[in-house]
Amino acid sequence: MPQVNEPDVPDGKSLQALISELATIRREMLAAAGRVPGSVHPSQRESAVNLLHYLALRHRDLRPLQARLAVLGLSSLGRSESHVLASIDAVLGTLCKLTGTTWEEGDELVGALQFRRGGELLEEHTRALLGPPPVGRNPRIMVTMPSEAATNYPLVRDLVQAGMDCMRINCAHDSAIEWGLMIDNLRRAEEELGRSCRVSMDLAGPKLRTGQIEGGLAVARCRPTRNAFGEVTRAARLWLSPRDNPAASPTPADLCLQVDAGWLAALAPGDEVCLTDTRGAHRRMRVLDAAPSGVWLEGLKTAYFSPDVVLHHHRANGKDCQTPVYGVPCIEAAITLAPGDLLILKPGQEPGRAAIRDSGGALLTPASISCTLPEVLACVNTGEEVWFDDGKIGGEIESICDGQLYVRIHHTGPDGSKLRADKGINFPGSRLDLAAMTGKDVLDLDFVARRAQMVALSFANTVDDVEALKSRLLAFGEDVPAIVLKIETVAGFHNLPAMLLAAMAAPVCGVMIARGDLAVEAGFERLAEVQEEILWLCEAAHVPVIWATQVLETQAKTGAPTRAEITDAAMGHRAECVMLNKGPHIHETVRTLDNILRRMQGHQFKKQAMLRELSLAGAFSLGG
């Protein structure tokens, strides 16, 4: 709380002034409650009333009032979210006793039972949305599925065993076939482990991304492992499978390629395969094992492969049999940008290009790139900002010509940054006329409505977006997924109260704080403030919150979390669910998060410190 001058201890007149001010606030709250929409579900009505009470309370600056209440040792209303009227009435009741007066406003002051009711409603709604909590941990853990979850049952089983309570499937990736296999694996794991796990599916929404970039190269390296002295400690491992029936390597390979099936079938252990790589270097590799699904080769020298490389196998009859290689992975093209550079953002599907300069370094043609939703370019104006790749690159629209945006770059990494295809684009200061649901989302909803318990509405910005999803769900009957509002834009944040009331037409709903896009849209400096306000509003509405994006991301990717990530994850206990994104070390990350949340549970609930025994206090002896 900001520093304020400490007021004098109130006399009777000051106490009456406090009663008058609180009574005015109370009347405003009761009047606001009359605006509860008739569409609100009966089980949500108390929560909708409390939300409107809270909005009426918070439309003014309460800090001077809080300071005056604190001097009396009374509640400063700082933890009133889930029971607003009860908090006001408790203070009013005490003030009336201090002044020897009785409450004469007509509406009776509510009893202490109302304090408990707010927490009960939040718990009821959380159980209905996210399922029962695991023993010893209230916040649930949600994990985003990688594509491998469709074919790798142990991966899913191990996640459930590590503590996953909700499986998240992003409909922007894979297809209904893979989604179904992921859920089948989950149900099998539930049965095997005796645990329950919900399914949440994110509709892709109108994701604005960069288009393709010309100049990608299909080239890959296969090299042995060497020690500090340059000695080979492990040969390079190459996995070859038939082109017409490619198979994944049974264990990790340095490179996987496909070749003609007839050529591959003639290989036997001990055979030698020769090639001339992309550098003109001659290489020999030995066949280690041959099976119907593929063949293992090993080599002691580094080899570079492209589609032009040919493999040779000299048969016993002296014949040289050859095959081209297929499936060489493409090195992704990128455009390098630095502050001061100009980037043209174009409509259409023309591949992007790096800037062209003359021999003296003078600019001839600026760099350019297309976007996946070209209609958005007509909604912006000069002077507005553009951010790419989750805020890694930023610029300002300098001019608009023939539907193209000329963006002057002002923010990159210290040595410039590379802009690649399929990276997010944000226009935080622009009013974009985009509906949250796309044609793809409507088609995907047929699967989501049948197999998921939650449907997350990406880029939920307006009440119309919520109503559109509700209308679509009506076609699937009453047993449909609960709506989760993904708040990832400034518009979605500003319209959250109205969208909550719209979503509360169902018996249960939820909110996801999608901190990735939200940070770019609202500004990184405002993210902490914005997510705090979302938590307050949702607690007032008794709506469960999912804390999402970049939680323990470094650990999920590399196996070791940063110190800042541990602190951030600990803050996630204030939500009802914490979401982790996929990564090669996701199992360890789930266990880490489970440990953090269990430890924090004894220290804090929402904004309230839980005063468990403090070991430091017990160990300290006055005068000892």
Side-chain angles (χ1 to χ4, degrees), residues 346-384:
K346 296 182 174 183
Q349 302 298 317
E350 180 183 344
R353 301 179 61 193
I356 304 299
R357 300 180 182 273
D358 65 16
S359 57
L363 180 67
L364 297 176
T365 306
S368 64
I369 198 165
S370 64
C371 66
T372 54
L373 298 174
E375 62 270 25
V376 166
L377 304 188
C379 301
V380 302
N381 300 293
T382 57
E384 295 175 346

Side-chain angles (χ1 to χ4, degrees), residues 33-45 48-49 52 467 470 501-502 504-506:
R35 296 166 52 195
V36 174
S39 59
V40 167
H41 193 275
S43 67
Q44 297 269 28
R45 186 166 185 82
V49 168
L52 291 170
E467 295 295 345
K470 286 165 55 181
L501 290 170
M504 291 165 80

Side-chain angles (χ1 to χ4, degrees), residues 209-270:
R209 293 185 175 274
T210 53
Q212 296 301 308
I213 301 173
E214 68 178 29
L217 296 175
V219 62
R221 179 179 61 187
C222 186
R223 66 174 178 178
T225 301
R226 299 178 183 273
N227 61 21
F229 299 99
E231 300 166 336
V232 173
T233 57
R234 182 182 62 77
R237 296 184 295 202
L238 175 63
W239 170 258
L240 300 178
S241 61
R243 181 190 182 191
D244 54 358
N245 187 25
S249 60
T251 57
D254 295 306
L255 182 62
C256 296
L257 298 173
Q258 290 89 54
V259 293
D260 292 334
W263 183 90
L264 189 67
L267 295 181

